[in-house]
Structure formats: C-alpha cells, structure tokens
C-alpha cells in the first residue's frame, strides 16, 4: 500500500484516473480526512455503500483519483442525473478533497477539469457543486473555474 501522506515533490507527474477496487484503503484515508475537514462522520455502512456505488457500473456515481507518482493525493465523486430544465443529464460534483500536503499545487483544478471532460463526454449540460460559504481557499479556485450562482440551498434531512 502506498503512503496516504505523500511527500510533495516537484518532479512528479499528476494523473487523474477512475478509482478501482484496489484503491479502497487509499481512498478511505482521504475520505475520512474529507469528512473530518467538514466536521462530519458517517457510519461505516454508509462509507462502504458510497464506495460500492462508485464501483458499480449500474449506479450513476463515479469516482476519480488524483495520483502523484504512486500516491493518491485527491479524490472526487460525481453524480449524473436527469433534470427538468434540459433534455440531457447534469453532473453534480458532490465531493472533492485534496490532501493538505499538495493543496495549492493544481490538484483540485486538475480534478475539476477532469470532471468537466468526463461530463462533456457523457453529454451533460452542466457541472455544478456546492461548498461551505467559509471555505474561502477552495472558493478562490472555484471562482476561476465556474460561475457562482445566486441560488440558496435549503435542506430538510429525513
């Protein structure tokens, strides 16, 4: 297993690839860090269901990893879904996490741009996502990659 806490090297090449069954332990480490970042936790059953959905070709949830040499340094999950405003599907970028050791090095940008390419190949009409208002570092990046809308999210957990 590769070290989930990679050393930042300047001569490394970044690769974005779909996550595979062999990536579970590395993915799990980043997933747990992501949940911690958002001061959240999930039961192991939910985490495993998420992982299984990412791997299930019959579920419209996809996962991609950013690899720096042999280290998984970033992950993203997207959900494709129909909508009432277009005749093609939307791509919801639900999760994005980059290991703190490589933040500011272009990994988040590369993951989002990969999602754009993926969604375009799937004939999606848009890619969209949400983030916390106070996530200012990420929002600086997002402002260079997409347009902030004036929509406000409301939620009722069931």
């Amino acid at each position: 297993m590769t070290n989930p806490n990679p050393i930042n090297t300047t001569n490394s090449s970044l690769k974005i690839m779909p996550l595979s069954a062999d990536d579970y332990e590395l993915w799990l480490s980043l997933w747990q860090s992501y949940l911690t970042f958002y001061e959240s936790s999930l039961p192991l059953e939910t985490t495993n269901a998420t992982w299984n959905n990412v791997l299930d070709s019959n579920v419209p949830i996809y996962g991609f990893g950013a690899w720096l040499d042999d280290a998984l340094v970033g992950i993203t999950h997207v959900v494709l879904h129909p909508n009432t405003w277009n005749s093609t599907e939307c791509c919801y970028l639900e999760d994005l996490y980059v290991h703190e050791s490589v933040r500011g090095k272009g990994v988040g940008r590369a993951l989002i741009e990969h999602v754009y390419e993926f969604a375009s190949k799937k004939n999606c009409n848009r890619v969209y996502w949400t983030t916390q208002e106070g996530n200012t570092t990420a929002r600086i990046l997002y402002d260079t990659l997409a347009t902030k809308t004036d929509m406000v999210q409301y939620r009722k957990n069931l």
Side-chain angles (χ1 to χ4, degrees):
M1 179 191 312
T2 305
N3 180 0
N5 301 315
I7 305 296
N8 188 16
T9 60
T10 55
N11 295 330
S12 301
S13 61
L14 185 69
K15 294 182 205 156
I16 310 293
M17 299 183 298
L19 293 168
S20 70
D22 293 339
D23 301 328
Y24 177 77
E25 293 297 327
L26 299 172
W27 170 86
L28 182 61
S29 177
L30 289 180
W31 178 249
Q32 292 299 338
S33 295
Y34 174 68
L35 294 175
T36 299
F37 177 83
Y38 279 110
E39 300 176 353
S40 296
S41 63
L42 292 172
L44 185 57
E45 309 85 65
T46 302
T47 291
N48 287 335
T50 296
W51 178 249
N52 290 329
N53 283 335
V54 163
L55 298 179
D56 188 339
S57 62
N58 294 313
V59 177
I61 297 175
Y62 303 85
F64 302 100
W67 297 88
L68 191 59
D69 295 328
D70 290 328
L72 183 63
V73 296
I75 56 173
T76 189
H77 305 129
V78 299
V79 180
L80 303 187
H81 66 87
N83 65 98
T84 61
W85 289 61
N86 298 93
S87 59
T88 58
E89 292 184 312
C90 295
C91 178
Y92 176 48
L93 195 163
E94 188 162 15
D95 307 302
L96 176 70
Y97 183 77
V98 173
H99 191 275
E100 60 192 18
S101 69
V102 294
R103 289 191 190 141
K105 306 291 184 194
V107 176
R109 178 180 297 278
L111 281 165
I112 292 170
E113 288 175 348
H114 183 82
V115 168
Y116 288 168
E117 290 174 26
F118 171 80
S120 181
K121 287 178 184 172
K122 292 288 192 179
N123 197 35
C124 292
N125 60 71
R126 69 179 172 270
V127 174
Y128 71 101
W129 64 91
T130 62
T131 193
Q132 288 180 329
E133 188 172 354
N135 192 359
T136 54
T137 302
R139 290 183 60 199
I140 290 168
L141 170 64
Y142 301 162
D143 287 344
T144 70
L145 291 167
T147 303
K148 181 180 168 249
T149 70
D150 62 352
M151 301 302 287
V152 176
Q153 183 186 63
Y154 290 86
R155 178 182 296 184
K156 167 106 172 106
N157 291 333
L158 304 175

